[in-house]
Amino acid sequence: MSIIVGYIPTREGRAALVAARTEALLRKVKLVVVNSHRGGRDFDAGEARRFEEELAAVGQELDDAGIEHEVRALARGNEPAEDLIEVAGDSDADLIVIGLRRRTPIGKLILGSNAQRILLEAQCPVLAVKAGEND
């Protein structure tokens, strides 16, 4: 059993990581951190290196906290929702944790397409968290 967290280095991604860490500690299960990119021309070597460094720091943070974990950086051309749902299925996940960004009043009528797809298609519970005002 495991907890899957969708992580990107944003306020929302960090909020999701904090919530996922807490759940992994409470449940005493492995935490799988998934960083998903579509890849392609817009994802250059400099950006890839920056994400690798960020993910290495996340891994070190989890090591320091004594949390069993795995960090997966995926650039397979998939939407992040596809990657998270697939990893959750392969890992027999107990929970998926995602971060949600704040939206305008009009935007609140529709969730982000990745968040909506994860909420609707995941075979396990999904915890959606928002970043705090000062995060």
Side-chain angles (χ1 to χ4, degrees):
M1 300 303 247
S2 61
I3 293 177
I4 311 301
V5 60
Y7 178 77
I8 55 174
T10 63
R11 291 175 47 232
E12 296 79 14
R14 285 186 272 289
L17 183 61
V18 167
R21 281 181 53 168
T22 301
E23 290 294 326
L25 285 169
L26 287 171
R27 298 170 188 236
K28 297 177 176 56
V29 296
K30 181 178 182 179
L31 177 59
V32 180
V33 180
V34 178
N35 178 257
S36 175
H37 289 282
R38 289 189 56 92
R41 288 185 300 213
D42 298 333
F43 193 58
D44 64 14
E47 187 173 4
R49 192 169 27 265
R50 184 175 65 85
F51 276 93
E52 283 177 19
E53 290 169 0
E54 176 73 27
L55 292 175
V58 167
Q60 185 62 54
E61 176 185 324
L62 295 171
D63 280 339
D64 293 345
I67 298 171
E68 181 186 359
H69 67 280
E70 177 183 345
V71 178
R72 296 188 190 183
L74 304 176
R76 306 185 295 193
N78 294 340
E79 291 294 326
E82 284 179 84
D83 282 336
L84 283 172
I85 292 167
E86 183 178 320
V87 170
D90 293 346
S91 302
D92 194 25
D94 293 310
L95 178 71
I96 298 174
V97 182
I98 58 173
L100 297 178
R101 67 178 181 268
R102 299 203 183 278
R103 299 189 152 308
T104 64
I106 298 289
K108 288 179 183 176
L109 295 174
I110 304 171
L111 284 173
S113 60
N114 281 307
Q116 183 174 4
R117 184 166 177 199
I118 292 164
L119 288 166
L120 294 174
E121 294 181 20
Q123 298 299 309
C124 64
V126 177
L127 173 61
V129 299
K130 296 187 291 188
E133 292 291 327
N134 299 320
D135 290 341

